[in-house]
Amino acid sequence: MPTSADKPATVQATPMDQVAVRRANLALVLAEVRTAGPASRADVARRTGLTRPTVSSLVGELLDRGLVREADLRQDGSVGRPARRLELDGRTVAALGLEINSRYLAACSVDLAGRTIQERRLVHDATEEGADATVRALAVLTRELLDHATRSGARVAGVGIAVPGPVAVATGRVYAAPNLGWKDVPVAERLREAAGLPGEMSVVVDNEANLAALAEWETAHPGVTDLMYVTGEAGLGAGIVAGGQLLQGASGFSGELGHIQIDPDGDVCACGRTGCLETKVSLPAALRTAAPDLLLAEGSGPRAPWGPQEQAAELLRRAAAGDPRTLSGLDEIGRWLGTGLSVPVNLLNPRVVVLGGYFAAVAPYLLPAAMREMRARIVAGDEALCRVTGSLLGFGAAVRGAAGVIVKEVFADPGRADSGRADSGRTDSGRTDSGRTDSGRTDSGRTVR
């Protein structure tokens, strides 16, 4: 006969297990409403596999957090009470995106539906001012957007920060930013202190190209699983999406495309090495090659201040007007760019390469030469030749991506929407869900941080 020792042990769910299950199921229901559009509770239950009572409980919590709302009544022809539809709301929850550029600081706030609440751009020389002064200036901008969001009736779930250089994402430290002259700067920690951000508020720091890649991918290329975004400003970097995931590397330092050597006899780069791609195709290099007088006019006279956007616009104007020096210079930039792009294209075989920053503005004048050079250097031939296109978001891609990281965090864990509430320390450990066997599923989205 079986003894008591032969009986299977009964596993008791711990309070922490219950919290994790509920968190996963909240994300699941929110994802269903977000992606499938207006739906009734019964629709959500059917599509997710959760029980109707569980869905009703979860929807009540999402309504309380302002993440979903009830729309008009739906009469589907069946007997009984009409169903009230659920749709994504998110107007009461905001995400902040910040960008540190060598020539400016940028900020934007968006709600969970992607609607813009506020945008700001401030002329600031981060190289000249240094890390401490730059973070303090960024903190002032942060407080301005936080206060505006609060007055607009939204609570801020977190802050994302885009920085031009390798970042230790787990700690929010900028490992090195050659174009800023920064090394080992704890940006997340310093901004939290300078802006007085609460401890429970998420602060995420990542490389600008990574964040721009995420923004561009989700807005313009959502069905593409292999994409590379290339910045084009004071520096040059790449954000890489491979197999539907952001490729960050073992330590988070991937994508330093600007520092591959393409001309051993070339100029010295800001990183201290010689002949980097960045020395050939960055915006300062483009100005030296295609419009050197803009460098002389920079920061003086009636045209000041000359920021990257204004310089890119002027390059485009001159090219469109047929200026020989500009057209010749952009053709040369295109050749070097095609040479540099052929390296990751041969290695990674992306479906699309998106050109951001000033590249996007002058893409029609860069792409012919770039594509000729790429085609000549791609080992697998035309079968491996990818589509190259200008960014739709231009200079705003990185700051949008920074805000988008926080939005994704809220969709993966709706409890983060409470970070700006007075009762944000609450937990739901007393509530359990047992209506679904694969409750570990979450809306992890398309990337893993």
Side-chain angles (χ1 to χ4, degrees), residues 236 258 305 417:
L236 183 75

Side-chain angles (χ1 to χ4, degrees), residues 151-427:
R151 291 194 301 271
S152 300
R155 54 190 182 276
V156 176
V159 179
I161 310 170
V163 182
V167 175
V169 178
T171 60
R173 299 179 77 89
V174 176
Y175 174 74
N179 290 304
L180 301 182
W182 296 9
K183 190 172 180 63
D184 195 27
V185 179
V187 170
E189 177 185 325
R190 291 187 183 179
L191 182 74
R192 187 183 294 279
E193 181 180 350
L197 303 180
E200 69 273 9
M201 182 177 289
S202 179
V203 179
V204 178
V205 184
D206 205 340
N207 174 266
E208 61 169 349
N210 285 343
L211 296 174
L214 294 180
E216 194 70 36
W217 178 32
E218 295 199 345
T219 57
H221 306 278
V224 176
T225 58
D226 295 271
L227 171 149
M228 182 170 68
Y229 176 94
V230 181
T231 62
E233 297 193 36
L236 183 75
I240 302 164
V241 175
Q245 300 287 332
L246 181 67
L247 182 65
Q248 292 183 309
S251 303
F253 301 153
S254 68
E256 289 301 314
L257 178 65
H259 299 291
I260 61 172
Q261 187 186 61
I262 61 170
D263 183 6
D265 299 319
D267 297 334
V268 176
C269 181
C271 72
R273 298 168 180 82
T274 301
C276 293
L277 178 61
E278 187 172 291
T279 66
K280 299 292 189 181
V281 302
S282 66
L283 179 54
L287 295 175
R288 287 193 298 271
T289 305
D293 60 299
L294 290 184
L295 290 172
L296 298 176
E298 188 176 353
S300 62
R303 302 157 103 183
W306 277 90
Q309 288 175 299
E310 292 79 14
Q311 290 169 332
E314 179 62 13
L315 280 175
L316 177 60
R317 188 194 68 78
R318 294 184 183 195
D323 180 73
R325 176 66 182 265
T326 303
L327 291 173
S328 173
L330 292 177
D331 188 71
E332 180 181 342
I333 295 293
R335 292 196 301 272
W336 284 115
L337 182 62
T339 300
L341 289 178
S342 68
V343 176
V345 168
N346 277 325
L347 284 172
L348 301 170
N349 187 213
R351 181 68 61 192
V352 179
V353 172
V354 180
L355 302 179
Y358 93 92
F359 292 147
V362 296
Y365 302 95
L366 292 176
L367 284 179
M371 295 304 295
R372 287 195 302 270
E373 199 67 36
M374 281 180 60
R375 181 174 282 108
R377 292 172 178 273
I378 292 175
V379 176
D382 285 352
E383 287 297 315
L385 192 65
C386 59
R387 182 162 60 93
V388 183
T389 183
S391 164
L392 293 179
L393 298 175
F395 285 94
V399 72
R400 287 282 170 176
V405 166
I406 303 302
V407 171
K408 290 180 71 65
E409 285 192 345
V410 175
F411 281 118
D413 179 7
R416 289 184 180 272
D418 287 339
S419 66
R421 294 168 61 146
D423 60 342
S424 60
R426 77 174 190 179
T427 66

